[in-house]
Every structure is written in structure tokens, then in C-alpha cells.
Amino acid sequence: MLSAKPELVLPEEREFSYKHAGFEFRGVKLDWKNDYLNGKYNVFVSSGSEAVGRFTFFTSDTYGSEIIFSGMFIEPALRSRGISGALMESLFRVAHASGREICHAWPQRKPLMGAILHKYGFEPVSLNKRELQETVYVGKGDTSAQTRLWFPVPAKAREFANSNIGKAQPYLIVDSLRQIHDAVRVVLNTDYVLTYPERAPQIR
């Protein structure tokens, strides 16, 4: 039987903290309520005095008691070290200890975030005819300074290159899918659903 760690339970207080996998987590609950969402949480992650990154999520009781993943940021100098896995496992532990499930993710605008969700069993909700417009292929496991992207629709590639995300993050848009040896197909601006639970972080 799974054993829950009390320090990971989501409290009602506006601030909380816990430790997991050698990292320190400090959460802040924001005022965020509508017909679907109960609250929004920002969780800042550090190792000693060094900032590691942060992630955000919502809570909802509309379709059962759940946590809805919103987004994640890891400091560029610390990427490709498996930190995203530790953060995702931490969030699944919080959900489990709080009696909640993680089945959904908020619409994603960052290609790399879509690839991370894919790694942990999430798949995009079909957009039907719009899906081709929003599809991008992301270099999986790219250890270079830039993550390679290929858009089937050239206009979307130009649009993304001119966006704030495209300019701020280390992305490299390539001319052909053949320039990406190991690609993951993701879809932007759509919900993600946990389709393959066996790929989600395992709670031990």
C-alpha cells in the first residue's frame, strides 16, 4: 500500500514548503477561482541557495478531486539533468497525499513543455482540422544549447519565431524533420490528458 508523507499534503494556508529528492519546494497559493478552478499554486524549487526552477498547477473539483498541471520552468544552466522528472514526481506525490488525481494539463504554448508531458504519459486532445496548424516536432533528448523544432506549417514556424517564447527560449527551428534524429510530436495551445498512466512518475 502506498504511504503518504504528511508534509506533502496541500494545505489551505497560502504558503507551504516541503523537501523531496534533494530539492526544497516553497509553494504559494494565489487567489484564483472560477466555475472550473478552485485555486492556483506557484511552487518555487531550490537547492540550497541556488534557484532551480518553478512549476504551477490548479486545483479543481468539477470532474472529481484533481490537480491540473499548468507549467514548468527550469533554469537553462540546469537543464538536461533529469530535474523535470523530480519535479513531476513531486507533484504526483502532492496529488496522492492530498487525495487528488492528475489527469489533465492546461493548454501548453511551449514546445519543450509539451515534449516533457509526452514523456510522462500525457497526450494532446485532438483539435481535428486545427491540429495540423498547431503541430510541432521537438528534438527529444537534445543536449545541445538549443532544442530543435520543426513545424509542418511554415507560417506557424514564422509566427513562433517572432513570439516572446520563441525569442526568449533556446529553440532552433529547422527546415526539415530529417534534421531531427529523435523527434516527439506535440500540439500547442491545447489541453493534455494523461493517456498512459504507466509512464507517469511512480510513487514509492
Side-chain angles (χ1 to χ4, degrees):
M1 183 173 177
L2 298 177
S3 59
K5 295 185 177 181
E7 69 270 18
L8 292 177
V9 177
L10 275 178
E12 292 301 319
E13 291 79 9
R14 291 195 175 276
E15 296 188 11
F16 59 97
S17 61
Y18 60 92
K19 295 182 179 180
H20 173 68
F23 297 111
E24 299 169 9
F25 297 79
R26 182 176 61 84
V28 179
K29 183 178 181 181
L30 308 177
D31 290 322
W32 190 286
K33 287 190 176 182
N34 59 23
D35 293 337
Y36 179 43
L37 305 172
N38 299 340
K40 181 178 182 179
Y41 293 80
N42 286 342
V43 181
F44 302 91
V45 187
S46 61
S47 177
S49 60
E50 182 181 25
V52 172
R54 61 186 178 275
F55 60 87
T56 58
F57 63 90
F58 299 96
T59 54
S60 175
D61 295 307
T62 302
Y63 302 108
S65 186
E66 66 175 329
I67 280 176
I68 301 172
F69 177 84
S70 177
M72 179 188 298
F73 172 81
I74 297 174
E75 294 293 337
L78 301 177
R79 293 174 185 173
S80 300
R81 299 187 185 183
I83 294 175
S84 65
L87 270 55
M88 290 294 287
E89 180 183 332
S90 165
L91 183 54
F92 272 79
R93 282 178 174 272
V94 168
H96 172 71
S98 299
R100 293 181 177 270
E101 295 183 350
I102 301 181
C103 299
H104 299 92
W106 203 246
Q108 299 298 315
R109 298 174 58 225
K110 298 180 179 180
L112 193 53
M113 192 65 255
I116 290 174
L117 286 174
H118 174 85
K119 178 180 179 180
Y120 296 110
F122 290 83
E123 292 288 333
V125 175
S126 177
L127 294 175
N128 298 320
K129 293 181 180 179
R130 287 187 52 224
E131 189 165 336
L132 177 63
Q133 295 289 322
E134 302 293 344
T135 296
V136 57
Y137 289 82
V138 184
K140 179 183 176 183
D142 194 344
T143 57
S144 65
Q146 295 176 300
T147 299
R148 293 172 180 258
L149 306 177
W150 179 70
F151 290 81
V153 179
K156 284 296 177 180
R158 293 190 294 270
E159 179 182 311
F160 182 82
N162 291 323
S163 69
N164 290 335
I165 292 175
K167 292 176 180 177
Q169 299 296 314
Y171 290 121
L172 175 65
I173 299 176
V174 297
D175 299 324
S176 168
L177 182 58
R178 291 191 297 270
Q179 294 176 263
I180 303 178
H181 298 294
D182 191 4
V184 175
R185 175 185 175 276
V186 305
V187 183
L188 304 181
N189 300 313
T190 188
D191 293 337
Y192 275 72
V193 175
L194 183 61
T195 309
Y196 303 101
E198 67 276 6
R199 283 160 51 189
Q202 300 300 305
I203 310 302
R204 297 181 180 88

